[in-house]
Amino acid sequence: MDRYDIIVVGSGPAGATFTRILNENNRVLMVDRRPLDKKPLNVIKNCGGLIAPDAQKALAGFGLSLPVDILVTPQTFAVETLDFDNNMIRSYQRHYVNVDRELFDRWLLSLCDTQNVQKSFSTHFIGAKKTKDGYIVTLKKENKRYEVFTSMIVGADGANSKVKKDLMQKENKPEKYVSIQEWFENKTELNRYVAIFDNEISDFYSWVIPKGQYIIFGSAIKENENVHKLHQLQKEKLARYGYDLSAPVKRSGSYILRPKSFKDISLGTKDVVLIGEAAGFISPTSAEGISYAMISGAQLAQALNKDMQNFASLYRKNSTSLRCNIIKKMLKYPFMYNRFIRKIIFKANIGTLDIKT
Ligand SMILES: Cc1cc2nc3c(=O)[nH]c(=O)nc-3n(C[C@H](O)[C@H](O)[C@H](O)COP(=O)(O)OP(=O)(O)OC[C@H]3O[C@@H](n4cnc5c(N)ncnc54)[C@H](O)[C@@H]3O)c2cc1C
């Protein structure tokens, strides 16, 4: 049986950043169920692909700049906010970078090509059994199951983390939303982002994002609601505003977490550790998760590089500001999601853009 010091489950921004920063003394296996070694073809990562200022700052802090071939047109700096609860529209300046999310992930992954890291794609984490000095992990590739031994498992497997579900059952579970995204031809040459607040659909939000020749429409709806019906209803409402969302060319869906307190963040133990959205790191107000994923991945790697024995307490310490950041975002919550407060803000035109066409 192959033996590793660390198995990283998931090679999204959290797993890729962790692996890139971890020093080369550890024998690492990184697995991902996505076929990340094959051409992108029809694979679509369910994401808006907007690199927010916090993610830009994190990349700058890593000394990285984005390669031009992962950028997508248009690069636009306005978000139009449709408030269906109050029947109001306002525009704001926003500083996102528009990328192809699948290519962004592959670029981050390409930066962790070191001898000590073995990568295995189209490989599913199936489960793990505890032994006295580590875990026997079951993986599945091309319908074949096999086992490997590891001293430590790093769960970087996103919102629906199987590592957390199987190995950390007592941990708190943040609220889960289901997010469906559909792609449509951009027939009207939409060149701004659109955020939709509509309590009839969700207490979170929906969005339209231009992406090359397409626009993406997505919504985040509580998992126990009638997600498909509400998603459809939101499209019908948008049609009244001139959005042609009648013929999707691609569709994807996934969970999205909404942490609301410190308890919703689970960092793990000394042999099963969580990073990124698996740990609950994501903004509860905007669903921006790329920065949290990269930063938490880096913080765990730095803790391990510094002190293998006491890394768990170091990781907790390193990530204090990231955890506090989620609570800070919660302070913004009523201003965005309470319809009465939002109406006052909109009426007062606080921070709005005066769009001259
Ligand atoms: C619809 C939608 C839109 C979003 N838009 C934005 C946005 O515009 N900007 C932003 O910053 N954030 C956005 N987010 C949030 C962001 O995508 C995530 O928070 C971020 O990707 C988390 O990174 P991660 O590395 O923790 O997990 P992920 O990026 O989810 O990566 C997890 C990886 O684990 C792999 N995996 C999962 N289970 C297994 C398994 N059992 N075995 C093997 N591999 C496994 C997956 O294939 C995946 O590659 C959006 C989320 C959604 C759902």
Side-chain angles (χ1 to χ4, degrees), residues 16 127 155 238 296 339:
L238 279 167
S296 59
R339 61 181 288 190

Side-chain angles (χ1 to χ4, degrees), residues 17-181:
T17 305
F18 168 76
T19 309
R20 181 174 59 80
I21 292 177
L22 187 71
N23 67 31
E24 295 184 24
N25 303 334
N26 300 286
R27 193 159 180 245
V28 177
L29 173 65
M30 177 158 55
V31 301
D32 200 297
R33 63 186 177 195
R34 282 195 276 165
L36 287 156
D37 46 350
K38 306 219 166 86
K39 282 229 156 91
L41 300 174
N42 291 324
V43 181
I44 4 167
K45 168 82 190 168
N46 194 33
C47 181
L50 297 180
I51 305 297
D54 283 346
Q56 295 165 27
K57 189 172 169 192
L59 289 166
F62 299 141
L64 297 175
S65 47
L66 293 177
V68 72
D69 54 343
I70 68 170
L71 303 181
V72 179
T73 54
Q75 296 298 330
T76 178
F77 305 104
V79 61
E80 184 177 83
T81 308
L82 305 182
D83 181 343
F84 285 179
D85 301 319
N86 296 309
N87 204 13
M88 294 172 94
I89 302 179
R90 290 291 182 275
S91 292
Y92 297 91
Q93 186 181 11
R94 284 290 177 274
H95 301 276
Y96 297 120
V97 176
N98 198 2
V99 300
D100 178 319
R101 173 62 202 268
E102 191 67 26
L103 295 181
F104 175 76
D105 280 13
R106 285 166 188 248
W107 166 69
L108 276 183
L109 254 180
S110 72
L111 306 175
C112 45
D113 270 338
T114 46
Q115 287 240 313
N116 63 316
V117 178
Q118 196 183 320
K119 297 174 190 164
S120 185
F121 300 120
S122 309
T123 304
H124 294 241
F125 167 82
I126 301 295
K129 267 191 292 219
K130 179 109 181 87
T131 66
K132 69 175 180 354
D133 52 352
Y135 282 87
I136 294 179
V137 174
T138 306
L139 300 171
K140 190 170 109 184
K141 186 170 177 138
E142 286 153 10
N143 282 328
K144 274 201 200 116
R145 284 180 184 232
Y146 61 101
E147 291 183 333
V148 293
F149 174 84
T150 184
S151 308
M152 181 191 290
I153 300 173
V154 172
D157 48 345
N160 199 27
S161 169
K162 187 160 171 58
V163 171
K164 182 177 175 191
K165 230 185 295 177
D166 287 6
L167 303 174
M168 303 174 63
Q169 285 156 359
K170 289 196 186 126
E171 290 293 305
N172 222 43
K173 294 175 185 62
E175 211 168 4
K176 260 186 183 168
Y177 286 66
V178 175
S179 180
I180 299 175
Q181 281 202 146

Side-chain angles (χ1 to χ4, degrees), residues 102-268:
E102 191 67 26
L103 295 181
F104 175 76
D105 280 13
R106 285 166 188 248
W107 166 69
L108 276 183
L109 254 180
S110 72
L111 306 175
C112 45
D113 270 338
T114 46
Q115 287 240 313
N116 63 316
V117 178
Q118 196 183 320
K119 297 174 190 164
S120 185
F121 300 120
S122 309
T123 304
H124 294 241
F125 167 82
I126 301 295
K129 267 191 292 219
K130 179 109 181 87
T131 66
K132 69 175 180 354
D133 52 352
Y135 282 87
I136 294 179
V137 174
T138 306
L139 300 171
K140 190 170 109 184
K141 186 170 177 138
E142 286 153 10
N143 282 328
K144 274 201 200 116
R145 284 180 184 232
Y146 61 101
E147 291 183 333
V148 293
F149 174 84
T150 184
S151 308
M152 181 191 290
I153 300 173
V154 172
D157 48 345
N160 199 27
S161 169
K162 187 160 171 58
V163 171
K164 182 177 175 191
K165 230 185 295 177
D166 287 6
L167 303 174
M168 303 174 63
Q169 285 156 359
K170 289 196 186 126
E171 290 293 305
N172 222 43
K173 294 175 185 62
E175 211 168 4
K176 260 186 183 168
Y177 286 66
V178 175
S179 180
I180 299 175
Q181 281 202 146
E182 290 178 295
W183 293 58
F184 304 85
E185 295 288 342
N186 188 358
K187 290 180 189 154
T188 56
E189 295 184 15
L190 180 83
N191 67 354
R192 61 191 180 278
Y193 311 122
V194 183
I196 306 114
F197 295 98
D198 184 350
N199 254 312
E200 192 186 357
I201 306 297
S202 172
D203 65 354
F204 215 171
Y205 75 111
S206 305
W207 55 88
V208 182
I209 300 171
K211 196 69 71 182
Q213 66 186 100
Y214 300 106
I215 53 171
I216 307 174
F217 163 68
S219 50
I221 297 167
K222 270 193 184 148
E223 65 169 341
N224 49 3
E225 306 270 348
N226 191 338
V227 176
H228 290 277
K229 192 172 156 211
L230 291 168
H231 176 85
Q232 189 58 33
L233 180 60
Q234 184 82 102
K235 280 202 293 185
E236 284 161 22
K237 288 185 168 191
L238 279 167
R240 287 180 228 143
Y241 281 75
Y243 291 90
D244 181 359
L245 306 176
S246 54
V249 291
K250 297 188 242 184
R251 188 177 160 94
S252 57
S254 64
Y255 284 113
I256 203 161
L257 299 182
R258 208 172 188 196
K260 297 219 170 120
S261 73
F262 267 158
K263 277 196 293 183
D264 285 341
I265 311 294
S266 308
L267 301 179

